[in-house]
Amino acid sequence: IAIIGILSSVVLASLNSARSKANNARVKAAMSTITTQSVLYYDDNNQSYGASPASCTTVSTMWDEATIKRAVTDIDANDGGSPVCNSTASAWAMSATLKIAEGTVMYWCVDSTGVSKGETAAIGSGVVACP
């Protein structure tokens, strides 16, 4: 019985780690969706991401587009923390907290230049490019 108890605790610990890694993957996938959708938004809106400056909740900007809004909500629901979204009419960037650190990487950052990478800190207010 003791051996079974020890084995089940090891399995449960591995399961929790796998869930956290899955949440990281979902956050990254949602941010990839935002990157793709932002290109479509930019093309459909006279080469503009909308009002400047803008955040995750600014209306009449790319952040108010339905698919992007759903992706931001999904990031927040999957322990991506409150994501940081910044944009101007010509550029944007976003970072979100990962559920579990990947080495020293605790945040994922994407921007309008196509950068998608891990960072040790979130982007600051008004920053429209991943460092």
Side-chain angles (χ1 to χ4, degrees):
I1 293 176
I3 292 171
I4 292 172
I6 292 169
L7 291 175
S8 64
S9 66
V10 169
V11 168
L12 288 176
S14 296
L15 181 61
N16 286 335
S17 176
R19 283 184 186 154
S20 294
K21 288 178 182 178
N23 280 346
N24 280 4
R26 286 184 66 176
V27 166
K28 291 175 185 179
M31 292 177 85
S32 178
T33 297
I34 291 168
T35 300
T36 303
Q37 195 64 32
S38 73
V39 172
L40 299 173
Y41 183 91
Y42 187 79
D43 288 343
D44 290 344
N45 289 279
N46 300 316
Q47 280 62 52
S48 176
Y49 295 112
S52 174
S55 67
C56 294
T57 57
T58 305
V59 296
S60 300
T61 66
M62 65 172 266
W63 305 109
D64 195 36
E65 194 276 328
T67 303
I68 293 174
K69 196 183 268 189
R70 271 193 308 274
V72 171
T73 301
D74 190 44
I75 290 167
D76 201 19
N78 286 294
D79 294 324
S82 295
V84 177
C85 310
N86 300 317
S87 66
T88 65
S90 60
W92 65 271
M94 176 184 193
S95 68
T97 309
L98 296 175
K99 174 72 174 178
I100 186 171
E102 297 175 352
T104 60
V105 170
M106 192 59 203
Y107 298 88
W108 199 253
C109 184
V110 295
D111 68 24
S112 55
T113 65
V115 171
S116 181
K117 65 178 186 171
E119 293 290 335
T120 56
I123 60 171
S125 178
V127 174
V128 292
C130 294

